Amino acid sequence: MLTILLNALKKKENEKLAELRTVNGPRIPEKTILQAYQALRLAVYGKKFQIQVQMDNQEMLYYLAVDTSVEFGAAKPTIMPKISGQISYTQEVVIPNLNQVYVSKVWYDSSLKLARYDYHDSKGVPPFYSINPMTIIHDFSTGNFIIYI
């Protein structure tokens, strides 16, 4: 008899807790992967799927998706090469639709915990709006950085 009474009290307590929960409600059926992919394809081929990107100057650029595909199989991991304590590289980035080109050179020394970044932009962009070459030195042991314009 005591067990029946305890079970009844426990059931009543669970019902009260269920009333207090905000996650209980009507179940919304989830779409299958096939249904979701079909909806994506319809949006892409109907030219209704856009991706917007906010640029550094706060301008919004919109890209229209033109195609979609599914890749099958497991991704094959690539083993990262061992990098020495000191590295340097040069890069040039061309952005034709903005008529912009910038060149940068980077040096890093892990033992000194320093990085130097030389940057030259063909347009003045935030935060400095300068077309003059700039040098930024990051000190990772203190968190400080120095900028030369």
Side-chain angles (χ1 to χ4, degrees):
M1 180 76 173
L2 183 59
T3 307
I4 295 171
L5 184 60
L6 287 174
N7 285 339
L9 286 173
K10 192 172 189 179
K11 184 178 180 185
K12 193 162 187 118
E13 184 180 321
N14 286 339
E15 288 172 358
K16 282 187 177 181
L17 284 174
E19 290 174 7
L20 297 174
R21 293 185 189 141
T22 58
V23 295
N24 292 337
R27 185 177 179 279
I28 300 172
E30 292 184 16
K31 292 185 178 198
T32 66
I33 293 174
L34 180 61
Q35 291 169 329
Y37 185 64
Q38 286 173 338
L40 174 65
R41 286 179 53 120
L42 284 172
V44 168
Y45 296 131
K47 300 192 183 313
K48 296 177 183 172
F49 188 80
Q50 286 187 359
I51 298 171
Q52 70 183 63
V53 178
Q54 185 173 7
M55 305 304 290
D56 288 338
N57 63 0
Q58 306 305 316
E59 176 187 3
M60 297 300 284
L61 291 181
Y62 297 90
Y63 296 93
L64 183 65
V66 294
D67 197 9
T68 179
S69 66
V70 176
E71 301 294 325
F72 292 98
K76 295 178 183 169
T78 303
I79 298 171
M80 288 294 294
K82 296 284 183 196
I83 298 176
S84 70
Q86 295 86 21
I87 61 168
S88 65
Y89 63 90
T90 302
Q91 68 179 357
E92 178 182 78
V93 177
V94 179
I95 308 171
N97 59 334
L98 297 177
N99 294 326
Q100 185 176 359
V101 177
Y102 69 85
V103 177
S104 62
K105 295 179 182 179
V106 179
W107 295 267
Y108 176 73
D109 188 315
S110 64
S111 61
L112 297 175
K113 295 185 179 178
L114 289 173
R116 175 179 169 172
Y117 179 69
D118 288 356
Y119 177 88
H120 184 251
D121 197 336
S122 62
K123 284 184 154 183
V125 294
F128 302 110
Y129 298 97
S130 174
I131 59 171
N132 297 322
M134 290 184 278
T135 297
I136 301 171
I137 299 175
H138 291 270
D139 184 347
F140 292 100
S141 60
T142 64
N144 296 328
F145 64 91
I146 303 169
I147 300 174
Y148 299 97
I149 300 176

